[in-house]
Amino acid sequence: MSDHVSPFRADLLAGKVALVTGGATGLGLEVARLLGAHGARVAICSRKEPNLEVAVTQLRGNGIDAMYSVCDVRKPDEVAATMQRVLAQFGHLDIVVNNAAGNFPAPISGLSANGFKAVVDIDLLGTYNVSKAAYEAWLHQHGGAIVNISAATQYRGMALQAHVVSAKAGVDALSRACAIEWGADGIRVNVVAPGAMAGTEGVARIAGGELGAMPHIPLQRAGSTTEVAQAVLFLASDAASYMTGAIVVVDGGAWLTSGTSTPRSM
Ligand code: COA
């Protein structure tokens, strides 16, 4: 977790309740920490209870009112139960961050239908399940903000990521559809599209470890999870009160200049 001083007002999310899927590790945990550090009570969910226990202890150690729910976003019954747990403990739900994602590098020739489906199910169907359940359980009557974590690789394509770029393109499209349908309910739906973030599981899986010099990125470096989480915080807050259906790319400008630095086969 970062000890970086936030440029945002400390009480920006005072009184709000946020749910972050995939919130036990990596970017999701940093989003949970940053939202909590700005006054939100935070619920995190993921499939792995031991990770959730460690994360909630960390968040509470940072003075954040936090809870967890074990949940596979692919399973609508587990997602619905999570909404009920969050509402029972915190009383309302104002912010939903769809961050849970699956990833592994594989050439199309080495990707089974089930492998492709596993990632689409987690990233796209999971975002749909959680958004719909949050809408039905609370947001449709009270409004709120949904922030979906996408990626920037789908704008140009990327080798070994056919399943992921397909899922993330779907997340972008789903977000726009939700923004249109739910705007009249006072719900804003926006996307943060991160590039490579140092120290994350995603980078370990796709880039095979730490990132080196990055002259192809206009800002010349990988980002941090905190820099991506700041965009989530902005979109979740009233500072973005007239933004919906927007995609905010947070990748140092990488997608403008770089197709892929990954080899086309493994
Ligand atoms: N290359 C090719 N295929 C792979 C693969 C790889 N590296 N890893 C998994 N698959 C395939 C499996 O072979 C399986 O297909 P099959 O039934 O045809 O054999 C399919 O994907 C599902 O695998 P399984 O392990 O049963 O799925 P899961 O639901 O337990 O896990 C994943 C989902 C595959 C996305 C797994 O990587 C995961 O749990 N990731 C979560 C963490 C993560 O990805 N973090 C990074 C975020 S950026």
Side-chain angles (χ1 to χ4, degrees):
M1 290 190 194
S2 165
D3 53 5
H4 151 101
V5 177
S6 173
F8 295 93
R9 216 180 58 207
D11 63 350
L12 189 63
L13 299 184
K16 306 281 189 191
V17 172
L19 169 65
V20 183
T21 71
T25 55
L27 175 62
L29 178 54
E30 181 58 5
V31 168
R33 188 199 66 79
L34 201 67
L35 300 186
H38 291 81
R41 284 177 290 165
V42 178
I44 57 174
C45 67
S46 89
R47 285 182 288 169
K48 297 177 187 157
E49 188 156 23
N51 291 352
L52 287 164
E53 282 171 352
V54 170
V56 160
T57 302
Q58 261 183 36
L59 292 168
R60 289 180 180 155
N62 280 259
I64 295 165
D65 192 355
M67 63 168 284
Y68 74 76
S69 174
V70 179
C71 171
D72 185 335
V73 294
R74 292 172 285 193
K75 299 181 177 156
D77 54 335
E78 293 185 15
V79 171
T82 291
M83 296 305 157
Q84 292 316 313
R85 279 183 213 121
V86 174
L87 292 173
Q89 180 143 345
F90 288 150
H92 54 103
L93 176 63
D94 310 288
I95 296 160
V96 176
V97 182
N98 281 299
N99 164 78
N103 202 339
F104 54 82
I108 294 167
S109 59
L111 190 59
S112 69
N114 200 41
F116 187 95
K117 182 175 180 296
V119 169
V120 171
D121 278 356
I122 298 169
D123 295 21
L124 177 54
L125 184 62
T127 297
Y128 170 81
N129 287 338
V130 172
S131 301
K132 186 175 179 185
Y135 179 82
E136 288 173 351
W138 187 262
L139 298 182
H140 77 289
Q141 285 178 327
H142 304 89
I146 298 175
V147 182
N148 295 329
I149 306 300
S150 176
T153 46
Q154 69 274 22
Y155 306 135
R156 293 174 65 115
M158 187 171 184
L160 311 185
Q161 292 278 278
H163 44 327
V164 177
V165 296
S166 303
K168 295 299 193 182
V171 170
D172 286 351
L174 172 64
S175 304
R176 292 193 186 99
C178 293
I180 295 166
E181 283 200 24
W182 295 344
D185 298 315
I187 302 167
R188 298 184 297 101
V189 185
N190 292 293
V191 173
V192 169
M197 288 168 281
T200 58
E201 186 187 347
V203 161
R205 281 175 177 246
I206 302 162
E210 285 306 309
L211 298 162
M214 305 193 100
H216 57 289
I217 297 182
L219 293 184
Q220 306 288 298
R221 63 176 177 86
S224 69
T225 53
T226 305
E227 289 173 304
V228 176
Q230 285 177 169
V232 177
L233 173 60
F234 165 69
L235 290 171
S237 78
D238 290 342
S241 56
Y242 199 53
M243 290 179 73
T244 198
I247 297 175
V248 177
V249 180
V250 186
D251 74 341
W255 85 273
L256 299 171
T257 60
S258 31
T260 174
S261 54
T262 311
R264 278 174 295 150
S265 59
M266 294 183 79

